[in-house]
């Protein structure tokens, strides 16, 4: 799964239309512990599932009939176990021909199975399962354009049980055969190839059994989807059917050829590197609505959020991110689907491997449009990891996943980005060729099976000749970020007389899991000189760093360069600091690096120093303004836009904040007017200006751009840009309800409805805030929750940095409501609320005190405590940064 939180839920209340899911795996009986899974795996071998679903009433919603037959073997006669099922009604449970009392055996989303036969057993379960509007289980969405229903499943972590009875754990693999009755005119897609028209009789779609896979990567997508078909022609006559699907209302925007091109590049690269043919019969990519994650690696039927079908102009950075998502999911077909983790402890390896290899493919595949992919990784993914690794919830990469509750909140920056960084470090440590030879042996040995980390490390030790025990202990079993600092001594002529790299142990937050430790690092040191106005690398030294101080004698006797950059090429995972001379030169010439990656590393270092209070927010703003005009990488530019806005709004001295925002907004408008017409930079600066426009003159100009009274050459104010302008105008009180309604009439789509919800929640009135809060926290007039995507849109509009006073009363309301929200909503909806509505803008000691009082008295679950504690850490960090900025202002 690409950049997502896992989803799960269990108890359902109310069944009209789309069902609102209440409750989740945090209550006893619906969770699954590691020990329970291990016990069940020792007892059972699952052979096959036959799943018959009646979706003929999907247009109306409600529930659907699910009939499942499972063939499995028991190691013991007379043993007992359970199978998982989330359903409002169970009609029939038959074990080995014996009908069981449903009321006696079905409880807490489990069906108890007793008196198993030794060897073969057969179980049949017939139930009514529920459509959802949360993006979990079988999600149902009605497109406002054609009023047709569209369905798709999302099962990771334990939500296949929402659709059919299953032994819901990754190491109980089986074959899955789906039979689906669908409405007339629909298409049904699953893991196996879609039956041809001649094979579909009476709207019944019968799929061939899958290979042995885990339940969480099975999939079903159904509806009147638009389709484009092609194929991948590989070596030795290999032909893999390819399909791309989306709703008809998005078909005009679907750039299928570009998506097929990236997909074929991935097939070429992965099959060569893995020395293993694609393991499934076909490969479909389905762009689906209201998807919580970026995408999901269902075997042969990948689901992707349909925001990746771009309705309006986007920058190349958006295409790059989409391509990484496509490649990430394709990599999972081998690492995750063909070979699957035994238990969720190794979730990090599943996601990290897909992230590392997808970016490596972008950076090196023949014909790739994004050879700078590691720059993007350093600039975005690693900043996510660094942030996550400094929270009180930081944990070792190889986390201790005791149960499903633990894994639900572990789809984080450590699991994805830090893990991928460490894999990149491992590749540098063992060598690229030995790494992939080990991966090849791993796939060959464990195809269609389950593994642990030790299986992969053992294969890599064989091919590299390196003992990875100490490396694994240092990198995978400890938490936090090391800091690397250069120590440089020179003589009077500027000749280096001593050079060393000092490593500092991570400063772990209170309560963090794991031990702070010094680690072995494989790094490069780049030496840069200023030549003809450009900082160019004149030499590079690669070496191993270990312990507190590592001498680098190779640099002694050389003239001191303009800049010494540790961790050049971003081989390791560490905070990097510059020596005093290099810092002064980078500050003056950051935009002058000839290559994008060292620029990104220095930008990232400056941002990290700002978050740590080592660089004042006003100085970070000045640094960005001095160098961003020379930054050619559009992904870096857009990241800087987001980071500057955050720095000034949260990390700057409140007394100086408005001055800083005014300076930034004026600069954004200047860059917008000066940008090359029609360029990505022009579009990015238009969005940056709109995000903070504040004076009467700026807002009047923004209004004129929206209605066409003002025109900037090359800037097309298309559908998405119109909404960006209107949302800011609504948040500042310039645009009223009639203006929002008129724009929605102009864009009467699902995306338009979400944008309108954001704009309405953004209005600076007490009434608008009260209505937004009630719709999210209290539900609609019948008490039902908003659909996942609409709820997210409302929360995004509700929280406005210009409206701190208006939002202040909601701090108390948040703590009064948050526990009940957590206890009564599905995981995805609950997490949106817990994180999104936390009073992060109220950067005061009072907010910390209120949080501490709630944590001490509310008795939250471990997962809820983690989310609230992480949000609290953000306020604590902002207070520290604001104090640093105020001190800098006092010194000026």
């Amino acid at each position: 799964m690409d950049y997502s939180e896992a989803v799960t839920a269990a108890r359902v209340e109310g069944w009209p239309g789309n069902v609102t899911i209440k409750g989740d795996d945090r209550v006893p009986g619906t969770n699954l512990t590691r020990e329970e899974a291990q016990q069940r795996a020792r007892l059972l071998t699952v052979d096959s599932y036959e799943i018959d679903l009646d979706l003929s009433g999907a247009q109306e919603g409600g529930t659907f009939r699910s009939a499942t037959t499972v063939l499995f073997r028991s190691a013991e006669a007379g043993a007992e176990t359970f199978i998982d099922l989330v359903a409002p009604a169970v009609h029939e449970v038959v074990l080995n021909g014996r009908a069981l009392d449903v009321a006696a055996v079905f409880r807490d989303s489990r069906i108890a199975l007793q008196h198993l036969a030794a060897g073969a057993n057969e179980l049949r379960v017939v139930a009514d399962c529920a459509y959802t509007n949360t993006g979990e289980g079988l999600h149902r969405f009605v497109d406002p354009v054609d009023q047709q229903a569209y369905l798709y499943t999302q099962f990771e972590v334990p939500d296949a049980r929402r659709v059919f009875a299953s032994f819901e754990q990754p190491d109980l693999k089986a074959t899955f055969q789906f039979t689906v009755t669908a409405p007339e005119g629909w298409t049904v897609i699953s893991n196996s190839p879609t039956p041809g028209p001649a094979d579909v009789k009476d709207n019944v779609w019968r799929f061939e059994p899958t290979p042995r896979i885990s339940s969480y990567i099975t999939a079903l997508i159904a509806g009147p989807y638009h389709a484009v078909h092609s194929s991948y022609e590989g070596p030795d006559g290999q032909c893999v059917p390819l399909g791309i699907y989306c709703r008809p209302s998005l078909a005009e925007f679907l750039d299928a050829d570009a998506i097929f091109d990236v997909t074929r590049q991935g097939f070429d690269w992965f099959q060569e590197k893995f020395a293993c043919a694609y393991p499934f019969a076909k490969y479909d990519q389905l762009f689906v609505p209201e998807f919580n994650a970026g995408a999901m690696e269902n075997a042969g039927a990948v689901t992707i959020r349909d925001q990746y079908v771009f309705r309006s102009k986007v920058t190349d950075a958006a295409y790059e991110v989409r391509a990484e998502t496509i490649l990430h999911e394709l990599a999972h077909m081998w690492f995750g689907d063909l070979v699957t983790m035994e238990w969720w402890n190794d979730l990090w390896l599943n996601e990290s491997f897909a992230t590392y290899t997808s970016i490596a493919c972008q950076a090196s595949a023949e014909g790739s449009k994004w050879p700078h992919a590691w720059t993007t990784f350093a600039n975005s993914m690693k900043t996510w990891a660094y942030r996550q690794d400094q929270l009180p919830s930081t944990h070792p990469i190889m986390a201790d996943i005791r149960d499903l509750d633990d894994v639900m909140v572990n789809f984080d920056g450590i699991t994805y980005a830090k893990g991928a960084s460490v894999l990149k470090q491992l590749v540098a440590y063992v060598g690229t060729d030995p790494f992939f030879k080990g991966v090849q042996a791993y796939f060959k040995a464990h195809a269609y099976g389950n593994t642990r980390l030790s299986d992969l490390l053992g294969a890599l030790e064989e091919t590299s000749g390196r003992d990875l025990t100490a490396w694994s202990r240092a990198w995978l079993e400890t938490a936090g970020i090391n800091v690397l600092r250069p120590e440089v001594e020179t003589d009077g002529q500027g000749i280096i007389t001593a050079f060393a790299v000092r490593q500092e142990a991570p400063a772990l937050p209170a309560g963090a899991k794991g031990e702070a430790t010094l680690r072995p690092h494989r790094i490069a040191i780049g030496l840069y000189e200023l030549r003809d106005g450009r900082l160019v690398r004149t030499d590079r030294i690669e070496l191993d760093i270990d312990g507190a101080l590592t001498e680098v004698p190779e640099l002694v006797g050389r003239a001191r360069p303009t800049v010494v950059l540790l961790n050049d090429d971003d081989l390791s995972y560490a905070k990097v600091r510059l020596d005093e001379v290099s810092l002064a030169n980078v500050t003056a010439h950051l935009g002058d690096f000839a290559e994008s990656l060292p620029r990104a590393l220095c930008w990232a270092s400056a941002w990290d120093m700002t978050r740590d209070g080592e660089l004042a927010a006003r100085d970070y703003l000045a640094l960005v303004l001095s160098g961003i005009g020379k930054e050619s990488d559009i992904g870096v530019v857009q990241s800087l836009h987001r980071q500057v806005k955050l720095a000034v709004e949260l990390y700057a001295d409140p007394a100086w904040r408005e001055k800083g925002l005014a300076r930034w907004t004026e600069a954004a408008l200047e860059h917008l007017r000066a940008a090359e017409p029609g360029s990505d930079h022009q579009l990015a600066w238009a969005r940056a200006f709109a995000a903070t426009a504040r004076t009467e003159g700026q807002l009047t100009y923004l209004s004129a751009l929206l209605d066409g009274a003002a025109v900037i050459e090359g800037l097309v104010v298309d559908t998405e840009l119109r909404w960006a302008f209107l949302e800011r105008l609504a948040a500042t009180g310039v645009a009223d309800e009639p203006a929002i309604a008129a724009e929605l009439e102009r864009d009467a789509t699902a995306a338009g409805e979400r944008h309108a919800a954001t704009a309405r929640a953004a209005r600076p009135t007490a009434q608008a805030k009260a209505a937004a809060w009630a719709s999210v926290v209290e539900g609609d007039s019948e008490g039902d929750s908003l659909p996942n995507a609409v709820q997210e849109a409302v929360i995004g509009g509700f929280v406005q940095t210009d409206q701190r006073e208006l939002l202040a009363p909601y701090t108390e309301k948040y703590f009064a409501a948050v526990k009940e929200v957590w206890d009564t909503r599905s995981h995805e909806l609950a997490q949106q609320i817990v994180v999104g509505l936390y009073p992060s803008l109220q950067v005061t000691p009072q907010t910390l005190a209120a949080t501490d009082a709630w944590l001490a008295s509310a008795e939250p679950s471990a997962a809820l405590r983690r989310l609230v504690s992480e949000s609290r850490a953000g306020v604590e960090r902002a207070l520290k940064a604001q104090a640093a900025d105020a001190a800098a202002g006092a010194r000026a």
Side-chain angles (χ1 to χ4, degrees):
M1 186 156 53
D2 183 69
Y3 185 56
S4 167
E5 278 70 22
V7 291
T8 180
R11 185 166 52 89
V12 186
E13 298 176 357
W15 302 99
N18 269 19
V19 175
T20 300
I21 303 298
K22 314 267 184 156
D24 68 12
D25 285 310
R26 289 173 289 269
V27 298
T30 58
N31 199 352
L32 177 71
T33 68
R34 180 175 54 207
E35 287 70 25
E36 287 177 315
Q38 290 171 341
Q39 181 179 6
R40 193 160 61 172
R42 285 193 295 268
L43 179 66
L44 303 182
T45 300
V46 186
D47 294 315
S48 67
Y49 291 81
E50 293 183 4
I51 302 149
D52 193 329
L53 304 176
D54 185 355
L55 307 181
S56 57
Q59 187 63 35
E60 293 74 35
T63 62
F64 58 92
R65 183 58 57 94
S66 170
T68 306
T69 300
V70 191
L71 301 183
F72 63 96
R73 286 167 282 154
S74 172
E76 301 174 15
E80 60 182 67
T81 187
F82 60 91
I83 196 167
D84 305 287
L85 178 66
V86 174
V90 176
H91 301 288
E92 180 182 324
V93 179
V94 179
L95 177 62
N96 297 328
R98 176 169 51 92
L100 306 184
D101 181 352
V102 171
V105 299
F106 179 51
R107 179 177 299 178
D108 289 335
S109 301
R110 294 180 175 186
I111 297 174
L113 305 175
Q114 298 178 332
H115 309 298
L116 298 180
N121 289 263
E122 179 177 318
L123 173 69
R124 175 174 168 81
V125 178
V126 180
D128 287 339
C129 294
Y131 301 104
T132 77
N133 65 356
T134 66
E136 303 152 306
L138 183 55
H139 184 89
R140 174 179 174 272
F141 166 85
V142 176
D143 191 332
V145 174
D146 60 14
Q147 295 302 311
Q148 293 295 304
Y150 296 83
L151 309 179
Y152 64 86
T153 55
Q154 170 56 32
F155 289 159
E156 190 174 27
V157 174
D159 285 325
R161 60 183 179 171
R162 293 184 181 280
V163 176
F164 57 91
S166 63
F167 295 107
E168 193 80 274
Q169 59 192 74
D171 59 342
L172 288 179
K173 287 188 168 184
T175 64
F176 295 82
Q177 183 170 23
F178 286 95
T179 299
V180 179
T181 302
E184 181 79 29
W186 277 30
T187 298
V188 182
I189 303 96
S190 187
N191 307 97
S192 298
T194 299
D199 298 319
V200 178
K201 303 184 186 307
D202 299 322
N203 299 315
V204 177
W205 302 68
R206 303 183 189 280
F207 293 85
E208 292 298 315
T210 68
R212 289 186 64 82
I213 58 176
S214 300
S215 59
Y216 80 92
I217 57 170
T218 60
L220 188 70
I221 302 92
Y225 282 92
H226 168 79
V228 181
H229 296 285
S230 187
S231 64
Y232 167 72
E233 309 295 332
D236 302 321
Q238 179 191 28
C239 181
V240 179
L242 304 178
I244 298 174
Y245 296 78
C246 71
R247 288 175 287 133
S249 60
L250 289 174
E252 65 179 296
F253 309 112
L254 180 65
D255 51 338
D257 288 343
I259 295 167
F260 281 136
D261 285 346
V262 172
T263 304
R264 292 189 185 98
Q265 282 183 352
F267 267 88
D268 284 340
W269 199 85
F270 292 139
Q271 290 193 144
E272 177 190 350
K273 293 296 183 183
F274 301 161
C276 178
Y278 174 71
F280 302 105
K282 52 88 176 178
Y283 192 69
D284 291 327
Q285 296 174 92
L286 303 109
F287 292 86
V288 297
E290 299 184 331
F291 198 68
N292 289 324
M296 177 63 204
E297 65 267 22
N298 311 306
V302 169
T303 42
I304 306 173
R305 63 188 297 126
D306 64 11
Q307 287 91 331
Y308 280 139
V309 178
F310 301 121
R311 305 190 310 152
S312 297
K313 177 180 171 62
V314 296
T315 69
D316 185 65
Y319 287 103
E320 181 183 357
V321 170
R322 184 180 71 176
E324 191 279 326
T325 297
I326 290 169
L327 295 170
H328 179 107
E329 303 311 322
L330 182 56
H332 271 311
M333 297 301 108
W334 289 267
F335 209 105
D337 293 3
L338 175 65
V339 181
T340 311
M341 61 204 161
E342 180 180 291
W343 177 245
W344 299 102
N345 281 40
D346 288 326
L347 170 68
W348 78 271
L349 188 56
N350 202 22
E351 298 301 342
S352 298
F353 185 91
T355 299
Y356 169 76
T357 53
S358 64
I359 296 167
C361 176
Q362 280 186 299
S364 61
E366 183 178 352
S368 172
K369 296 180 180 179
W370 301 281
H372 60 277
W374 287 119
T375 297
T376 304
F377 178 77
N379 175 61
S380 57
M381 291 287 282
K382 287 190 82 167
T383 57
W384 176 31
Y386 291 153
R387 175 189 175 276
Q388 188 80 45
D389 216 2
Q390 295 175 85
L391 292 172
S393 59
T394 188
H395 55 84
I397 292 175
M398 195 167 68
D400 182 25
I401 303 297
R402 301 161 298 180
D403 56 21
L404 294 179
D405 277 359
D406 283 346
V407 74
M408 294 306 167
V409 291
N410 232 51
F411 286 76
D412 59 17
I414 295 173
T415 296
Y416 284 79
K418 181 178 180 179
S421 300
V422 168
L423 283 184
K424 188 180 182 186
Q425 164 82 227
L426 178 59
V427 173
Y429 187 61
V430 302
T432 301
D433 289 343
F435 177 82
F436 280 108
K437 287 186 183 301
V439 168
Q440 293 166 12
Y442 173 82
F443 287 140
K444 185 175 181 179
H446 302 289
Y448 300 106
N450 295 88
T451 60
R452 300 179 180 182
L453 170 66
S454 56
D455 295 308
L456 177 62
L457 293 183
L460 295 178
E461 287 179 333
E462 282 287 322
T463 55
S464 70
R466 289 233 192 200
D467 182 352
L468 297 178
T469 304
W471 179 91
S472 175
R473 186 182 305 115
W475 278 104
L476 305 181
E477 299 174 26
T478 62
I481 315 167
N482 298 112
V483 180
L484 302 181
R485 301 180 188 272
E487 295 187 355
V488 188
E489 296 180 13
T490 59
D491 63 17
Q493 286 72 46
I495 302 300
I496 297 174
T497 58
F499 192 104
V501 178
R502 183 167 297 280
Q503 179 180 187
E504 299 173 6
L508 294 180
K513 297 178 181 179
E515 297 181 2
T517 187
L518 301 177
R519 300 185 177 103
H521 297 262
R522 183 72 177 175
I523 71 165
I525 300 176
L527 309 181
Y528 290 82
E529 297 287 1
L530 189 63
R531 293 179 178 173
D532 299 323
R534 303 290 280 166
L535 279 170
V536 295
R537 188 165 72 185
T538 56
D539 204 355
R540 175 186 184 274
I541 296 171
E542 190 170 318
L543 71 160
D544 291 323
I545 299 296
D546 205 354
L549 192 69
T550 301
E551 302 285 346
V552 187
E554 298 94 323
L555 295 181
V556 174
R558 297 186 180 211
R560 181 193 178 94
T562 305
V563 173
V564 176
L565 182 59
L566 300 185
N567 198 30
D568 202 9
D569 293 329
D570 199 31
L571 299 182
S572 191
Y573 175 84
K575 292 183 183 182
V576 171
R577 297 296 184 251
L578 299 168
D579 65 271
E580 187 175 347
V581 173
S582 295
L583 178 59
N585 288 326
V586 165
T587 301
H589 298 284
L590 202 160
D592 295 324
F593 279 99
E595 301 296 329
S596 64
L597 184 52
R599 287 199 308 271
L601 294 175
C602 290
W603 284 124
S605 180
W607 173 237
D608 187 65
M609 291 172 67
T610 305
R611 293 187 71 250
D612 285 354
E614 297 176 25
L615 181 67
R618 65 191 67 204
D619 294 334
Y620 179 70
L621 172 61
L623 177 64
V624 171
L625 290 178
S626 72
I628 195 170
K630 300 175 183 179
E631 181 55 66
S632 59
D633 189 299
I634 189 61
V636 173
V637 169
Q638 290 179 280
S639 288
L640 291 173
H641 288 170
R642 292 189 293 270
Q643 289 164 357
V644 165
K645 186 173 184 291
L646 179 60
V648 179
E649 289 179 335
L650 278 186
Y651 298 156
D653 177 8
W656 181 84
R657 180 188 298 136
E658 191 58 38
K659 183 177 180 180
L661 284 168
R663 185 179 176 191
W664 170 246
T665 308
E666 290 162 3
L669 182 55
E670 290 174 5
H671 280 286
L672 168 59
R673 287 170 167 160
E676 179 184 347
S679 66
D680 283 358
H681 283 67
Q682 184 188 56
L683 176 59
W685 282 112
R687 288 184 168 275
F689 168 67
T692 56
R694 53 205 325 96
T695 66
E696 181 178 353
Q698 290 167 353
L699 294 170
T700 299
Y701 185 60
L702 192 62
S703 298
L705 288 173
L706 178 62
D707 63 25
V711 175
I712 297 176
E713 181 187 358
L715 182 67
V716 178
V717 185
D718 54 22
T719 303
E720 290 295 324
L721 195 57
R722 288 184 62 84
W723 279 115
F725 290 176
L726 184 65
E727 286 166 12
R728 181 58 182 168
L729 293 170
T732 53
V734 175
D736 55 13
E737 170 57 32
I740 298 171
E743 194 65 27
L744 179 57
E745 184 176 358
R746 181 187 181 114
D747 181 27
T749 65
E753 290 179 349
R754 295 193 297 272
H755 283 303
T758 297
R760 287 172 174 139
R763 290 172 297 168
T765 67
Q767 294 84 353
K769 297 304 173 188
W773 178 271
S775 69
V776 170
V777 176
E778 300 165 17
D780 62 19
S781 59
E782 297 181 356
D784 290 336
S785 299
L786 296 173
N788 56 334
V790 177
Q791 176 178 284
E792 184 179 31
V794 172
I795 292 172
F798 179 84
V799 180
Q800 295 291 322
T801 55
D802 297 331
Q803 299 171 2
R804 286 177 174 82
E805 292 185 8
L806 193 60
L807 296 174
Y810 289 93
T811 298
E812 183 177 351
K813 293 181 179 181
Y814 173 88
F815 289 113
V818 66
K819 190 170 189 296
E820 182 180 355
V821 164
W822 186 256
D823 290 340
T824 58
R825 305 290 178 92
S826 76
H827 179 85
E828 185 64 36
L829 295 187
Q831 182 155 307
Q832 282 183 6
I833 296 170
V834 170
V835 176
L837 293 182
Y838 181 85
S840 299
L841 298 181
Q842 310 303 322
V843 182
T844 66
Q846 290 77 18
T847 300
L848 297 182
T851 306
D852 292 340
W854 182 86
L855 288 169
S857 63
E859 299 181 349
S861 67
L864 177 56
R865 177 179 292 277
R866 169 177 171 168
L867 294 176
V868 174
S869 296
E870 287 179 349
S871 297
R872 181 197 183 280
V875 173
E876 188 173 37
R877 178 176 291 274
L879 280 170
K880 177 182 176 182
Q882 287 181 5
D885 189 66
R891 291 193 300 268

